[in-house]
Amino acid sequence: MKLLGHHHISMYTKDVTNNKHFYTEILGLRLIEISVNQDNPSMYHFFYGDEEGNHTGIIDRYFFKSVYYRHNGIMYEFATPEPGFMRDTPKTQLGQQLNLPDFLESNREAIMNSLKSIN
C-alpha cells in the first residue's frame, strides 16, 4: 500500500501555546481547524494539516465521519475526506477561529470563556 498523505493530526490540549508552537513552528504544519473536544468542551481540539487544508481519506464529527480503533493504548482515527474543513470556513480563514458543531453552538459563550487564549 502506498501512503499518499495523511488525513490530519488531531490534538486535544490544555497547553495551547506549546502545542501550537510544536506543530506549526517545529513540524511545519498548518493549524487548519480550531474546535473543542466534543466530549469535554472546556478543552481545545486542534487539527493540523498541509498548507491547502487538505486531508486524504462511524461517528459524525461534522467535518468528516470517523471510525476509531484503539491498540496498545493509542487511539487511531480513520476519517472520510468529506465534507472537509472548508464546510463552513473559507480556505483563507482556516485555523483563524473557533468552530463548533451545531449541537455546541448554543454554548459558544460559556465554552469560549472556559478556554485559554491561543495567541
Side-chain angles (χ1 to χ4, degrees), residues 23-109:
Y23 285 96
T24 60
E25 301 299 321
I26 305 299
L27 295 184
L29 297 172
R30 178 178 179 194
L31 178 61
I32 58 173
E33 190 63 46
I34 302 168
S35 188
V36 293
N37 178 340
Q38 294 180 18
D39 298 319
N40 179 2
S42 69
M43 185 182 304
Y44 278 110
H45 189 173
F46 291 160
F47 299 84
Y48 298 95
D50 68 13
E51 281 302 311
E52 298 298 316
N54 290 327
H55 47 80
T56 63
I58 287 272
I59 297 173
D60 186 346
R61 292 295 189 189
Y62 185 70
F63 302 107
F64 43 82
K65 297 188 183 344
S66 296
V67 174
Y68 294 88
Y69 171 73
R70 185 179 298 274
H71 180 70
N72 291 333
I74 299 172
M75 177 71 76
Y76 296 91
E77 177 182 32
F78 301 92
T80 62
E82 300 299 330
F85 293 112
M86 289 183 276
R87 174 181 184 162
D88 60 1
T89 305
K91 182 172 117 176
T92 57
Q93 295 176 12
L94 290 173
Q96 302 299 311
Q97 63 190 19
L98 176 67
N99 289 329
L100 299 172
D102 292 340
F103 76 91
L104 290 176
E105 194 60 52
S106 63
N107 298 321
R108 175 176 283 280
E109 185 175 348

